[in-house]
Amino acid sequence: MPTERLINALQSYGVRLADSRAGAPSRRGGAGPSDHKAITIAGRTVMVPVHTEAAFDSPFLVRRPDANGVSVIEHDGVVIGQATFPGKPRFYALSTFDGVPYAKIAVLHGRDVLATTVLQTCIRYASRTKTCQFCSIGQSLAAGRTVAHKTPEQLAEVARAAVLLDGVRHMVMTTGTPNATDRGAAVLCESAFAVKAAVDLPIQAQCEPPDDDRWFERMKASGVDALGMHLEAVTPEVRTRIMPGKASVPLERYYAAFEAAVPVFGRGQVSTYILAGLGDAPEAILETAERLIGMGVYPFVVPFVPISGTPLESHPAPGPDFMHAILAPLATMLATADLRSTDIKAGCGRCGACSALSTYERAGAAS
């Protein structure tokens, strides 16, 4: 099975682990990727669901690592590949000067990405009539695995340690939406400024489009290298049903924000996260992707993963054929437009661990 199809299938079905203790600890709940495990396959570190309902019944089993740290991957008892697990990062053993464990401030995603949710609260989350139905941002806070607001000083301290101890190469800063004006841009500015003062680390900031486009210049000046403004769903009817509060920010505001942000950050340095499997047809996702690519925006399409405790916990994940129907032509579209995940300075698109898209890109380039 080609690597891109294997990763695609693993991310759709999830995997069963013979030894859940192998590699870096997995995460349950909270801001994404949740309920996943980092696994390296054919040199690609990807996030694969391991704590979801689908994963518990997955036909894929990853065996216990051998003495060399290598595990075999089985499909219904037949060996189909090998995998290794990135180890637990060393910075997890430390605490900040004010006594907070580093792992409550930021966590390792994939192999070399430091990720944090600066504000673990959101104006939409408390209301079931407004919250995004897939969101679990409050779960890790309620469980005591994080803190509500990571200060700039804490983020700078952890980022510097993660670079020095674990070779982290870029950082993702996302946030719950604190208000209906800057929508988190202000807190991301102060956070990025503090990190860049402590260590030279490329940063992607993620938030909803602020109401004033001048925030893009401010974010860039604060040290933000790449920007993510995430559509999640691409058609109005799905947006209204799945994320009623966020849908109050219309699609055209997103497109206007993309238009304003690309000249600031550069072509390919603005991206958007699209969750396939929420109800949008592949044709709708590809049509939206074509428009975004024409604007210089990288559309990072990932399979939806249902998270326990959310309204969509029983919603099925998209199958591998559904994802292939999107990712294969999308990779071709990106190649034609000369937009590459490897050219993104920081963030989800550059990491690529939550989707097989970058593997499809590489497969297309190789062929």
Side-chain angles (χ1 to χ4, degrees):
M1 180 183 297
T3 301
E4 69 273 16
R5 295 300 297 262
L6 173 59
I7 292 174
N8 186 24
L10 293 175
Q11 291 186 323
S12 289
Y13 292 123
V15 302
R16 292 175 289 126
L17 298 175
D19 184 0
S20 61
R21 300 167 298 176
S26 55
R27 301 176 59 230
R28 294 176 183 264
S34 298
D35 293 1
H36 287 62
K37 186 89 165 179
I39 301 176
T40 301
I41 301 168
R44 297 283 301 149
T45 298
V46 294
M47 303 300 290
V48 179
V50 296
H51 297 304
T52 62
E53 184 176 338
F56 298 148
D57 295 323
S58 173
F60 294 98
L61 171 67
V62 178
R63 289 290 183 184
R64 187 185 307 273
D66 63 17
N68 296 316
V70 178
S71 300
V72 298
I73 306 172
E74 296 180 358
H75 180 269
D76 290 335
V78 178
V79 175
I80 59 170
Q82 293 183 330
T84 58
F85 294 91
K88 181 179 179 179
R90 288 183 285 181
F91 77 85
Y92 278 18
L94 305 178
S95 295
T96 63
F97 290 123
D98 52 355
V100 181
Y102 277 11
K104 289 189 176 185
I105 303 299
V107 296
L108 188 71
H109 280 194
R111 181 182 67 257
D112 58 7
V113 187
L114 185 67
T116 186
T117 304
V118 180
L119 296 177
Q120 202 82 27
T121 57
C122 179
I123 56 172
R124 312 193 195 287
Y125 188 74
S127 170
R128 283 305 179 193
T129 63
K130 296 180 180 179
T131 187
C132 298
Q133 302 294 293
F134 50 77
C135 183
S136 60
I137 190 173
Q139 289 186 11
S140 51
L141 181 61
R145 295 193 298 270
T146 188
V147 295
H149 183 186
K150 290 79 172 176
T151 68
E153 295 78 14
Q154 290 171 333
L155 291 167
E157 182 183 344
V158 175
R160 185 172 186 274
V163 170
L164 295 176
L165 296 177
D166 296 286
V168 160
R169 296 190 176 187
H170 56 115
M171 185 174 186
V172 176
M173 291 182 180
T174 188
T175 180
T177 301
N179 57 58
T181 54
D182 69 73
R183 298 192 173 94
V187 73
L188 290 169
C189 283
E190 65 179 19
S191 301
F193 186 84
V195 169
K196 278 295 177 69
V199 63
D200 184 15
L201 185 65
I203 296 170
Q204 183 194 51
Q206 301 176 351
C207 63
E208 295 181 43
D211 63 346
D212 188 337
D213 288 341
R214 286 177 294 182
W215 277 110
F216 301 136
E217 294 281 2
R218 295 167 186 160
M219 295 170 83
K220 179 70 173 178
S222 298
V224 174
D225 300 284
L227 177 66
M229 294 184 290
H230 298 337
L231 290 171
E232 269 95 26
V234 302
T235 55
E237 56 271 25
V238 176
R239 295 183 81 234
T240 300
R241 174 168 53 85
I242 297 295
M243 42 188 189
K246 191 172 179 177
S248 65
V249 182
L251 284 170
E252 288 311 313
R253 172 58 195 143
Y254 273 85
Y255 287 117
F258 292 141
E259 199 75 56
V262 169
V264 175
F265 293 96
R267 186 171 179 273
Q269 304 306 323
V270 178
S271 62
T272 191
Y273 215 89
I274 297 174
L275 293 170
L278 292 176
D280 292 318
E283 296 78 13
I285 293 175
L286 289 171
E287 182 179 343
T288 298
E290 185 175 28
R291 179 177 180 181
L292 293 166
I293 291 170
M295 300 171 70
V297 176
Y298 185 91
F300 187 52
V301 179
V302 306
F304 164 71
V305 176
I307 304 299
S308 300
T310 67
L312 292 184
E313 64 180 359
S314 298
H315 187 89
D321 290 341
F322 183 91
M323 292 306 303
H324 178 73
I326 298 171
L327 298 181
L330 177 55
T332 300
M333 292 163 59
L334 288 166
T336 301
D338 199 28
L339 280 183
R340 293 180 293 268
S341 57
T342 52
D343 291 336
I344 303 174
K345 296 177 181 178
C348 294
R350 173 178 167 179
C351 171
C354 292
S355 171
L357 176 57
S358 60
T359 311
Y360 276 87
E361 287 183 48
R362 287 166 173 79
S367 63

mmCIF file of all heavy atoms in Angstrom, residues 9 36 44 52 68 99 117 124 130 151 161 176 183 206 239 252 255 262 272 287 301 305 310 312 343 350 358 366:
data_model
loop_
_atom_site.group_PDB
_atom_site.id
_atom_site.type_symbol
_atom_site.label_atom_id
_atom_site.label_comp_id
_atom_site.label_asym_id
_atom_site.label_seq_id
_atom_site.Cartn_x
_atom_site.Cartn_y
_atom_site.Cartn_z
ATOM 1 N N ALA A 9 -5.568 5.926 5.615
ATOM 2 C CA ALA A 9 -6.420 4.906 6.230
ATOM 3 C C ALA A 9 -6.262 4.900 7.755
ATOM 4 O O ALA A 9 -7.250 4.783 8.492
ATOM 5 C CB ALA A 9 -6.088 3.532 5.661
ATOM 6 N N HIS A 36 -5.204 11.581 20.054
ATOM 7 C CA HIS A 36 -4.270 11.087 19.051
ATOM 8 C C HIS A 36 -2.976 10.600 19.700
ATOM 9 O O HIS A 36 -2.701 10.877 20.860
ATOM 10 C CB HIS A 36 -3.889 12.190 18.056
ATOM 11 C CG HIS A 36 -4.954 12.552 17.075
ATOM 12 N ND1 HIS A 36 -6.171 13.066 17.457
ATOM 13 C CD2 HIS A 36 -4.973 12.508 15.717
ATOM 14 C CE1 HIS A 36 -6.892 13.310 16.371
ATOM 15 N NE2 HIS A 36 -6.189 12.986 15.306
ATOM 16 N N ARG A 44 7.675 9.808 8.131
ATOM 17 C CA ARG A 44 6.667 10.842 8.336
ATOM 18 C C ARG A 44 6.028 10.666 9.702
ATOM 19 O O ARG A 44 5.490 9.606 10.015
ATOM 20 C CB ARG A 44 5.571 10.751 7.262
ATOM 21 C CG ARG A 44 6.047 10.992 5.844
ATOM 22 C CD ARG A 44 6.272 12.465 5.578
ATOM 23 N NE ARG A 44 5.036 13.212 5.795
ATOM 24 C CZ ARG A 44 5.001 14.481 6.216
ATOM 25 N NH1 ARG A 44 6.114 15.116 6.500
ATOM 26 N NH2 ARG A 44 3.862 15.102 6.355
ATOM 27 N N THR A 52 -10.427 7.142 20.280
ATOM 28 C CA THR A 52 -11.777 7.339 19.783
ATOM 29 C C THR A 52 -12.519 6.002 19.698
ATOM 30 O O THR A 52 -11.912 4.932 19.729
ATOM 31 C CB THR A 52 -11.746 7.987 18.389
ATOM 32 O OG1 THR A 52 -11.064 7.111 17.483
ATOM 33 C CG2 THR A 52 -11.008 9.317 18.424
ATOM 34 N N ASN A 68 14.736 -2.460 19.319
ATOM 35 C CA ASN A 68 15.219 -1.305 18.563
ATOM 36 C C ASN A 68 14.180 -0.186 18.457
ATOM 37 O O ASN A 68 14.390 0.800 17.742
ATOM 38 C CB ASN A 68 15.636 -1.741 17.157
ATOM 39 C CG ASN A 68 16.804 -2.704 17.175
ATOM 40 O OD1 ASN A 68 17.775 -2.484 17.908
ATOM 41 N ND2 ASN A 68 16.717 -3.772 16.382
ATOM 42 N N GLY A 99 6.139 27.859 39.054
ATOM 43 C CA GLY A 99 5.703 26.562 39.557
ATOM 44 C C GLY A 99 4.709 25.791 38.719
ATOM 45 O O GLY A 99 4.149 24.798 39.199
ATOM 46 N N THR A 117 -2.426 26.552 23.493
ATOM 47 C CA THR A 117 -3.673 27.302 23.416
ATOM 48 C C THR A 117 -3.543 28.414 24.451
ATOM 49 O O THR A 117 -3.658 28.158 25.652
ATOM 50 C CB THR A 117 -4.885 26.414 23.708
ATOM 51 O OG1 THR A 117 -4.891 25.306 22.801
ATOM 52 C CG2 THR A 117 -6.180 27.195 23.549
ATOM 53 N N ARG A 124 -17.729 31.343 23.047
ATOM 54 C CA ARG A 124 -18.771 30.503 22.456
ATOM 55 C C ARG A 124 -18.951 29.174 23.190
ATOM 56 O O ARG A 124 -19.994 28.536 23.073
ATOM 57 C CB ARG A 124 -18.435 30.227 20.990
ATOM 58 C CG ARG A 124 -18.044 31.463 20.181
ATOM 59 C CD ARG A 124 -18.041 31.157 18.699
ATOM 60 N NE ARG A 124 -17.356 32.171 17.917
ATOM 61 C CZ ARG A 124 -17.821 33.372 17.658
ATOM 62 N NH1 ARG A 124 -18.986 33.742 18.158
ATOM 63 N NH2 ARG A 124 -17.130 34.228 16.913
ATOM 64 N N LYS A 130 -24.172 28.113 20.785
ATOM 65 C CA LYS A 130 -23.149 28.861 20.059
ATOM 66 C C LYS A 130 -21.870 28.066 19.828
ATOM 67 O O LYS A 130 -21.121 28.357 18.902
ATOM 68 C CB LYS A 130 -22.806 30.152 20.808
ATOM 69 C CG LYS A 130 -23.950 31.151 20.930
ATOM 70 C CD LYS A 130 -23.506 32.389 21.685
ATOM 71 C CE LYS A 130 -24.644 33.404 21.803
ATOM 72 N NZ LYS A 130 -24.222 34.621 22.559
ATOM 73 N N THR A 151 0.734 32.997 30.374
ATOM 74 C CA THR A 151 1.286 34.335 30.300
ATOM 75 C C THR A 151 2.411 34.391 29.267
ATOM 76 O O THR A 151 3.029 33.368 28.951
ATOM 77 C CB THR A 151 1.841 34.788 31.659
ATOM 78 O OG1 THR A 151 3.000 33.993 31.977
ATOM 79 C CG2 THR A 151 0.798 34.637 32.753
ATOM 80 N N ALA A 161 13.152 26.443 26.342
ATOM 81 C CA ALA A 161 13.570 25.113 26.806
ATOM 82 C C ALA A 161 13.283 24.046 25.751
ATOM 83 O O ALA A 161 14.091 23.137 25.544
ATOM 84 C CB ALA A 161 12.854 24.767 28.112
ATOM 85 N N GLY A 176 -8.709 30.287 22.284
ATOM 86 C CA GLY A 176 -10.149 30.443 22.287
ATOM 87 C C GLY A 176 -10.476 31.892 21.956
ATOM 88 O O GLY A 176 -9.629 32.785 22.114
ATOM 89 N N ARG A 183 -10.781 39.256 18.498
ATOM 90 C CA ARG A 183 -10.947 37.806 18.445
ATOM 91 C C ARG A 183 -9.665 37.024 18.798
ATOM 92 O O ARG A 183 -9.403 35.955 18.270
ATOM 93 C CB ARG A 183 -11.484 37.361 17.082
ATOM 94 C CG ARG A 183 -12.879 37.939 16.783
ATOM 95 C CD ARG A 183 -13.544 37.281 15.586
ATOM 96 N NE ARG A 183 -14.903 37.751 15.444
ATOM 97 C CZ ARG A 183 -15.272 38.783 14.644
ATOM 98 N NH1 ARG A 183 -14.356 39.409 13.911
ATOM 99 N NH2 ARG A 183 -16.523 39.153 14.581
ATOM 100 N N GLN A 206 -3.032 31.545 15.375
ATOM 101 C CA GLN A 206 -4.326 31.121 14.845
ATOM 102 C C GLN A 206 -5.454 31.806 15.606
ATOM 103 O O GLN A 206 -5.485 31.774 16.843
ATOM 104 C CB GLN A 206 -4.489 29.600 14.973
ATOM 105 C CG GLN A 206 -3.424 28.789 14.254
ATOM 106 C CD GLN A 206 -3.569 27.293 14.497
ATOM 107 O OE1 GLN A 206 -4.361 26.856 15.336
ATOM 108 N NE2 GLN A 206 -2.806 26.500 13.760
ATOM 109 N N ARG A 239 -21.834 25.133 8.249
ATOM 110 C CA ARG A 239 -21.300 26.038 9.271
ATOM 111 C C ARG A 239 -22.369 26.377 10.306
ATOM 112 O O ARG A 239 -22.120 26.362 11.514
ATOM 113 C CB ARG A 239 -20.784 27.326 8.636
ATOM 114 C CG ARG A 239 -19.593 27.138 7.717
ATOM 115 C CD ARG A 239 -19.088 28.474 7.189
ATOM 116 N NE ARG A 239 -18.244 29.130 8.174
ATOM 117 C CZ ARG A 239 -18.432 30.368 8.627
ATOM 118 N NH1 ARG A 239 -19.474 31.078 8.206
ATOM 119 N NH2 ARG A 239 -17.606 30.895 9.509
ATOM 120 N N GLU A 252 -17.705 35.531 3.747
ATOM 121 C CA GLU A 252 -17.097 36.633 3.000
ATOM 122 C C GLU A 252 -16.157 37.455 3.874
ATOM 123 O O GLU A 252 -15.211 38.071 3.368
ATOM 124 C CB GLU A 252 -18.176 37.512 2.366
ATOM 125 C CG GLU A 252 -18.879 36.846 1.189
ATOM 126 C CD GLU A 252 -17.901 36.238 0.178
ATOM 127 O OE1 GLU A 252 -16.924 36.929 -0.202
ATOM 128 O OE2 GLU A 252 -18.108 35.083 -0.231
ATOM 129 N N TYR A 255 -12.929 35.551 3.624
ATOM 130 C CA TYR A 255 -12.248 35.782 2.348
ATOM 131 C C TYR A 255 -11.638 37.180 2.287
ATOM 132 O O TYR A 255 -10.524 37.357 1.765
ATOM 133 C CB TYR A 255 -13.210 35.553 1.190
ATOM 134 C CG TYR A 255 -13.538 34.098 0.960
ATOM 135 C CD1 TYR A 255 -14.832 33.607 1.091
ATOM 136 C CD2 TYR A 255 -12.528 33.193 0.629
ATOM 137 C CE1 TYR A 255 -15.123 32.263 0.894
ATOM 138 C CE2 TYR A 255 -12.812 31.848 0.424
ATOM 139 C CZ TYR A 255 -14.109 31.390 0.565
ATOM 140 O OH TYR A 255 -14.392 30.051 0.373
ATOM 141 N N VAL A 262 -2.678 38.040 3.207
ATOM 142 C CA VAL A 262 -1.643 37.459 2.343
ATOM 143 C C VAL A 262 -0.545 38.464 1.997
ATOM 144 O O VAL A 262 0.644 38.124 2.069
ATOM 145 C CB VAL A 262 -2.279 36.842 1.075
ATOM 146 C CG1 VAL A 262 -1.198 36.490 0.059
ATOM 147 C CG2 VAL A 262 -3.074 35.598 1.440
ATOM 148 N N THR A 272 -5.702 27.916 6.164
ATOM 149 C CA THR A 272 -6.972 27.666 6.831
ATOM 150 C C THR A 272 -7.153 26.165 7.008
ATOM 151 O O THR A 272 -6.718 25.364 6.185
ATOM 152 C CB THR A 272 -8.150 28.268 6.038
ATOM 153 O OG1 THR A 272 -9.341 28.233 6.836
ATOM 154 C CG2 THR A 272 -8.395 27.516 4.740
ATOM 155 N N GLU A 287 -13.776 22.986 -4.425
ATOM 156 C CA GLU A 287 -14.116 24.280 -5.015
ATOM 157 C C GLU A 287 -13.616 25.416 -4.124
ATOM 158 O O GLU A 287 -13.055 26.408 -4.601
ATOM 159 C CB GLU A 287 -15.626 24.377 -5.208
ATOM 160 C CG GLU A 287 -16.088 25.678 -5.858
ATOM 161 C CD GLU A 287 -17.599 25.720 -6.045
ATOM 162 O OE1 GLU A 287 -18.244 24.661 -5.977
ATOM 163 O OE2 GLU A 287 -18.120 26.835 -6.263
ATOM 164 N N VAL A 301 -6.503 20.491 4.660
ATOM 165 C CA VAL A 301 -7.690 19.651 4.817
ATOM 166 C C VAL A 301 -7.326 18.426 5.652
ATOM 167 O O VAL A 301 -6.399 17.688 5.319
ATOM 168 C CB VAL A 301 -8.248 19.221 3.451
ATOM 169 C CG1 VAL A 301 -9.465 18.321 3.632
ATOM 170 C CG2 VAL A 301 -8.608 20.451 2.618
ATOM 171 N N VAL A 305 -12.170 14.147 13.391
ATOM 172 C CA VAL A 305 -12.041 13.095 14.397
ATOM 173 C C VAL A 305 -13.018 13.394 15.530
ATOM 174 O O VAL A 305 -12.902 14.428 16.191
ATOM 175 C CB VAL A 305 -10.603 13.024 14.951
ATOM 176 C CG1 VAL A 305 -10.518 11.990 16.079
ATOM 177 C CG2 VAL A 305 -9.616 12.679 13.844
ATOM 178 N N THR A 310 -18.039 15.611 23.375
ATOM 179 C CA THR A 310 -18.550 16.701 22.548
ATOM 180 C C THR A 310 -19.871 16.281 21.909
ATOM 181 O O THR A 310 -20.185 15.091 21.843
ATOM 182 C CB THR A 310 -17.554 17.064 21.434
ATOM 183 O OG1 THR A 310 -17.462 15.964 20.509
ATOM 184 C CG2 THR A 310 -16.168 17.358 21.999
ATOM 185 N N LEU A 312 -20.579 15.984 18.958
ATOM 186 C CA LEU A 312 -20.334 15.161 17.771
ATOM 187 C C LEU A 312 -19.529 13.907 18.093
ATOM 188 O O LEU A 312 -18.920 13.308 17.199
ATOM 189 C CB LEU A 312 -19.590 15.981 16.707
ATOM 190 C CG LEU A 312 -20.361 17.129 16.057
ATOM 191 C CD1 LEU A 312 -19.525 17.783 14.968
ATOM 192 C CD2 LEU A 312 -21.696 16.658 15.493
ATOM 193 N N ASP A 343 7.216 24.988 2.312
ATOM 194 C CA ASP A 343 7.592 26.401 2.255
ATOM 195 C C ASP A 343 6.928 27.234 3.347
ATOM 196 O O ASP A 343 7.270 28.415 3.520
ATOM 197 C CB ASP A 343 7.226 26.991 0.891
ATOM 198 C CG ASP A 343 8.089 26.435 -0.234
ATOM 199 O OD1 ASP A 343 9.211 25.974 0.066
ATOM 200 O OD2 ASP A 343 7.638 26.451 -1.393
ATOM 201 N N ARG A 350 2.746 23.260 7.748
ATOM 202 C CA ARG A 350 4.138 22.817 7.687
ATOM 203 C C ARG A 350 4.325 21.505 8.432
ATOM 204 O O ARG A 350 5.009 20.602 7.951
ATOM 205 C CB ARG A 350 5.057 23.884 8.278
ATOM 206 C CG ARG A 350 6.500 23.396 8.382
ATOM 207 C CD ARG A 350 7.431 24.450 8.921
ATOM 208 N NE ARG A 350 8.720 23.866 9.299
ATOM 209 C CZ ARG A 350 9.738 24.547 9.780
ATOM 210 N NH1 ARG A 350 9.628 25.860 9.951
ATOM 211 N NH2 ARG A 350 10.863 23.943 10.118
ATOM 212 N N SER A 358 0.284 16.371 3.037
ATOM 213 C CA SER A 358 1.674 16.609 2.654
ATOM 214 C C SER A 358 2.324 15.341 2.098
ATOM 215 O O SER A 358 3.229 15.420 1.260
ATOM 216 C CB SER A 358 2.473 17.133 3.844
ATOM 217 O OG SER A 358 2.469 16.214 4.918
ATOM 218 N N ALA A 366 7.222 13.064 -6.394
ATOM 219 C CA ALA A 366 8.111 11.947 -6.730
ATOM 220 C C ALA A 366 7.715 11.302 -8.061
ATOM 221 O O ALA A 366 8.583 10.821 -8.816
ATOM 222 C CB ALA A 366 8.075 10.905 -5.621
#
